[in-house]
Amino acid sequence: MIISVIIGLISGIISGMGIGGGTILIPSLSIFLQIVQHEAQGINLLYFIPTAIVSLWVHIKNKRVNFAIAWPIILFGLLGAVGGALLAGFLKADILRRLFGIFLFIMGGYEILKKDKKSKKVQEK
């Protein structure tokens, strides 16, 4: 039970920052609670709804949401979500877990290697 509380708290903090709590939640559920990948992803989706509502409210309140950019992303994201959910239903848990791991590895590598343009602009001024 205490592990679930810690996982939820850390994932909530990461979600609130807009980074994506699933990057912590899904591997944590799989590793520490031995939950299969399909269940971990399902729990993540259910977990995401209330945390996203709270985080979105705060970001809208702080005027950090550009709705002109967000609407097309939301609409096509919904289409992609349907396709992804259907695809995930056909994949074995082992393959799904590996694909998720590859995704995290690529995103982590990108974040490590990308050049921080904003901080360079600030330093140049």
Side-chain angles (χ1 to χ4, degrees), residues 71-123:
W71 285 120
I73 294 170
I74 292 167
L75 292 175
F76 285 96
L78 289 171
L79 291 173
V82 170
L86 292 172
L87 178 63
F90 289 108
L91 296 174
K92 293 181 180 178
D94 187 47
I95 293 171
L96 197 56
R97 185 176 60 249
R98 288 178 189 205
L99 289 173
F100 185 69
I102 291 167
F103 168 75
L104 291 178
F105 182 75
I106 290 169
M107 293 305 294
Y110 172 79
E111 287 297 321
I112 289 170
L113 298 175
K114 78 175 185 176
K115 304 213 185 284
D116 192 0
K117 294 176 184 177
K118 288 185 179 181
S119 69
K120 283 186 178 183
K121 287 181 182 178
V122 170
Q123 289 175 356

Side-chain angles (χ1 to χ4, degrees), residues 1-66:
M1 178 68 173
I2 189 96
I3 293 174
S4 297
V5 171
I6 293 169
I7 291 170
L9 182 62
I10 293 170
S11 297
I13 292 168
I14 299 296
S15 292
M17 293 168 58
I19 298 171
T23 57
I24 299 295
L25 184 62
I26 293 171
S28 296
L29 291 172
S30 298
I31 294 167
F32 299 115
L33 300 178
Q34 286 80 42
I35 294 176
V36 296
Q37 188 72 19
H38 286 95
E39 278 188 47
Q41 289 185 215
I43 290 169
N44 177 65
L45 292 171
L46 185 60
Y47 155 90
F48 179 75
I49 295 168
T51 57
I53 290 169
V54 171
S55 298
L56 183 59
W57 177 75
V58 171
H59 287 288
I60 289 172
K61 183 180 171 198
N62 291 330
K63 298 185 183 354
R64 300 267 184 213
V65 177
N66 183 334

